[in-house]
Amino acid sequence: MKEAIAKYLEYLQSVKNSSPHTVLNYRKDLEQFLAYLSPPGVRPPALSGVTHSMIREFVAHLHEHGLAKSSVARKLAALRSFFKYCVRKDQLKENPARLVPTPKLPKRIPSVLSAEEMNGFLNDLGGVGEPGPGGRAFAKKDAKPNRSTRVEEGLLFRRDRAVLELLYAAGLRVSELTGLNLADMEQRERILRVRGKGNKERIVPYGAKAQEALQKYWPLRERLLDQTDRASTRKDPHAEAVFLNYAGHRLTQRSVGRIVKKYVRIANVNWDLHPHSLRHAFATHLLADGADLRAIQELLGHQSLSTTQKYTHASIRQLMEIYDKAHPHA
């Protein structure tokens, strides 16, 4: 069974082009299942010896240990996918996980900022961190600000502003943003070629505000690259990345999360904002202004329309909140 799991993970990586995050999670889920089947002193069963009832018992075990229904559903999906692969490779006659029911998940409606709140947040950042007269500089807490730190942080602000604007303007997943290369951008037409889940490509437009932020960022990007050895950047994949960190390397997903939290603190607003919040806002605001649901599905890169439909509920909820606040007899 260990060998079959190893081959399946290799298949996910090399054939299915699954993200490293997906492969890592599936590895953990399958190893956890294997550990459950083979406690200390017990040999794991043969692949053909895994039964429907064993998987049901594993799911019950997860529930008993207080695991969230969404996490149980993901682990079950990993098992289904693994055993389906084994059937396809003639290692099994049937998929033992196929008939194990998925836990019923509550329908979560994303919490979304209004268009006014999002515009205010991004526009207010225009005066923060820019070097030179009129710019409100910021420095690390308890650090003595000087001209060089103000300028350096002001320059990084230009990158951060471009990150935030593009997340909202194009509705990108954070992995899609960090994976962007210069070759994926058509700046004259303001179009991105985005690689989404399963390495599927889609075309997404972005607006004038994001373009303006990017134009201010490009000189900084050159400066960040200049800090590295120019001879080595020709073959360095970081040199093609749109967004770079202070060391001239591709910006990571974790860093984007920190950037969002940082500017929420600077704006002094009590919001639980994260990178995906800007994607939620992108979809909800398009829908509220009359965009077709199918078009939003294409822009977001959703495989199923039902995934996109959750934004209709978010839009209705936002409308009801406005009604309750504004109508005298609400």
Side-chain angles (χ1 to χ4, degrees), residues 83-103:
F83 287 118
K84 184 179 178 182
Y85 165 83
C86 292
V87 170
R88 205 160 48 237
K89 293 292 181 181
D90 295 324
Q91 294 173 306
L92 289 174
K93 289 185 178 179
E94 58 182 24
N95 184 343
R98 188 171 62 88
L99 297 177
V100 179
T102 301

Side-chain angles (χ1 to χ4, degrees), residues 241-275:
V242 170
F243 292 109
L244 303 173
N245 63 16
Y246 67 93
H249 297 159
R250 186 182 294 273
L251 201 64
T252 64
Q253 295 181 38
R254 185 171 292 182
S255 294
V256 175
R258 284 197 290 262
I259 287 168
V260 172
K261 294 293 183 187
K262 170 183 176 181
Y263 289 99
V264 167
R265 287 197 306 272
I266 290 170
N268 198 25
V269 286
N270 188 26
W271 295 337
D272 182 23
L273 209 62
H274 47 84

